[in-house]
Amino acid sequence: MGPDGKRHNGPSTFTHKADAQAWITGERRLVEYGAWTSPAARAEALREAEQAEAERAAAEARAIEVLQNTPTVSEWIERCISERQSRSRRPIKQTTADNYRKLARLNVTGTPLGGMRVTEVRRADVHEWRWDGPPSRTRTQGAKAYELLVSVFDDAVVAELIETTPCTLRGAGSPERSREPESLSMEEVDRFLAAIDLPWARAALTIQVTCGLRIGEVLALRAKDLDLEAGTVTVAGTVAKIGESGQRSLVVQAPKTRASLRTLSLLPDTTPELRRWRRSLGELKPTALLFADHVGRPLNDDVLRRVQKKAAASIGRAELKDHDLRATAATLAAAAGASVREIQSMLGHTTPSMALKYQTATRERDAERARNMSLRWQDARAASPSPE
């Protein structure tokens, strides 16, 4: 008889009296301690506990299976790159995919972050990788690798692998520049071009320094793109390197953005020499490259860079880079009165801010500013009444 006034049977018929006595003794002890519940209720609670434990073990097994099937960060980056290449809408170019893979190989693969499952990564892990991880080759490489990581974790959110992205570091994708762009004065441009002995290289660098083309855009120019009668040059492609390091090949492909497709006016002072050089090439098919090797294939940009560096060193500007020629074009255009929008169009940029980055202040321009301010000051003094 239990404390509830009801009779309760044992779990089964006992075959030994001692077992029955042990059971009833245990029940009385529970009553004495105030912990008694009916045997049926305890049996139900035990079944529920066993069922809960089985469900927990099954859930844990499923979680382990899901985790094992979840890609690592390195695997997810490669999957995202492959999907972006094969998608029907705006697939990325082979050069972009190669660049992404290079960033991943140099900055993510082999690091603790690269081996973590996508679902395991937390903000602290990204912070440690970005700021305390192995140094990148260049100052901007780490920032570009972080930007790639941001984009692939955004894809992971869309794919419902994770709920929120761990890539929320402020300033991690925008490092300070290692150097500001520099530009040449008009007098330095004359001496720079005069120092180039090779006619083809002088023509290529003339177009680059006066029109602001990228080096790949210059090397991709075809015969039909240079219209010396109209005095224009049309940018319709760029020379790019595809493939892994050591096995890279050169191809002419469309630019990455529509803004890069543009037609620019040549400086009238440059067209006579460009015309003489163009005549020296003889008859060319409209699609023939203007700057090519002996069998008509695209030139490696290193060939033109070596000529540019040698000419720059000869005028005392050994630190000059090929992007500084674009900065020169932008700065000289601004000095000639071109608006930011016009310079943006000339450089083939999608935003005005990018065009502004290529403009540099020059001593000549600053001196002109000082003279103009002084003249205005003199005019103001002349217009004000003289004190008695």
Side-chain angles (χ1 to χ4, degrees), residues 2 9 20 28 52 83 88 94 97 101-102 104 123 142 145 196 213 219 230 248 308 322 333 362 386:
N9 295 326
R28 289 170 178 168
E83 289 178 353
S88 57
Q94 181 64 47
R101 290 189 173 98
K102 178 181 178 182
R123 188 178 187 277
I196 302 171
L213 272 64
L219 296 177
R248 309 187 80 179
Q308 174 249 309
D322 64 277
T362 62
S386 58

Side-chain angles (χ1 to χ4, degrees), residues 71-348:
T72 65
V73 174
S74 293
E75 292 169 346
W76 181 246
I77 291 175
E78 176 56 35
R79 187 183 301 181
C80 289
I81 295 172
S82 298
E83 289 178 353
R84 293 175 189 181
Q85 280 185 279
S86 59
R87 64 192 178 192
S88 57
R89 183 176 178 273
R90 298 178 63 186
I92 62 175
K93 297 183 181 298
Q94 181 64 47
T95 50
T96 303
D98 290 341
N99 185 48
Y100 286 164
R101 290 189 173 98
K102 178 181 178 182
L103 287 172
R105 175 169 50 82
L106 295 178
N107 297 277
V108 181
T109 303
T111 67
L113 179 70
M116 294 180 67
R117 304 289 177 181
V118 172
T119 52
E120 295 178 315
V121 179
R122 300 293 178 264
R123 188 178 187 277
D125 302 314
V126 179
H127 184 283
E128 182 178 1
W129 166 81
R130 178 66 182 94
W131 302 122
D132 302 328
S136 298
R137 289 188 176 183
T138 65
R139 186 174 287 213
T140 59
Q141 192 181 88
K144 289 182 177 180
Y146 176 75
E147 290 175 352
L148 174 61
L149 202 68
V150 169
S151 70
V152 298
F153 270 99
D154 286 344
D155 287 355
V157 173
V158 173
E160 298 184 349
L161 285 178
I162 55 177
E163 292 185 1
T164 59
T165 175
C167 299
T168 57
L169 307 184
R170 183 173 297 179
S174 303
E176 296 181 0
R177 289 182 177 182
S178 58
R179 66 186 287 274
E180 291 297 320
E182 301 180 10
S183 64
L184 300 172
S185 66
M186 288 300 297
E187 185 271 335
E188 287 176 318
V189 170
D190 279 337
R191 292 195 292 120
F192 170 74
L193 295 176
I196 302 171
D197 297 328
L198 300 171
W200 72 267
R202 188 184 307 115
L205 291 171
T206 296
I207 295 172
Q208 187 176 9
V209 77
T210 58
C211 296
L213 272 64
R214 301 174 178 89
I215 190 168
E217 294 172 341
V218 173
L219 296 177
L221 291 176
R222 301 183 183 275
K224 62 181 180 179
D225 298 329
L226 187 63
D227 189 342
L228 294 173
E229 296 303 320
T232 61
V233 59
T234 298
V235 179
T238 184
V239 172
K241 298 176 181 178
I242 62 173
E244 294 294 328
S245 299
Q247 297 180 340
R248 309 187 80 179
S249 58
L250 299 174
V251 297
V252 177
Q253 64 180 23
K256 290 183 179 180
T257 64
R258 290 185 178 182
S260 296
L261 298 170
R262 59 201 190 277
T263 297
L264 305 172
S265 296
L266 297 166
L267 270 62
D269 286 349
T270 64
T271 53
E273 184 173 354
L274 289 174
R275 187 176 286 109
R276 287 192 295 271
W277 162 75
R278 176 63 184 85
R279 287 172 180 167
S280 70
L281 299 180
E283 291 293 330
L284 292 176
K285 293 181 179 180
T287 57
L289 292 172
L290 291 175
F291 308 104
D293 62 15
H294 63 284
V295 293
R297 294 175 303 191
L299 282 177
N300 193 313
D301 54 14
D302 289 339
V303 176
L304 188 57
R305 281 196 176 95
R306 284 194 292 268
V307 177
Q308 174 249 309
K309 288 181 179 180
K310 181 179 178 181
S314 70
I315 65 170
R317 298 295 300 272
E319 77 288 352
L320 203 71
K321 299 181 181 296
D322 64 277
H323 269 57
D324 293 330
L325 300 186
R326 277 167 62 76
T328 295
T331 302
L332 295 180
S339 66
V340 173
R341 181 66 183 85
E342 290 167 338
I343 295 172
Q344 174 188 341
S345 178
M346 179 185 74
L347 296 178

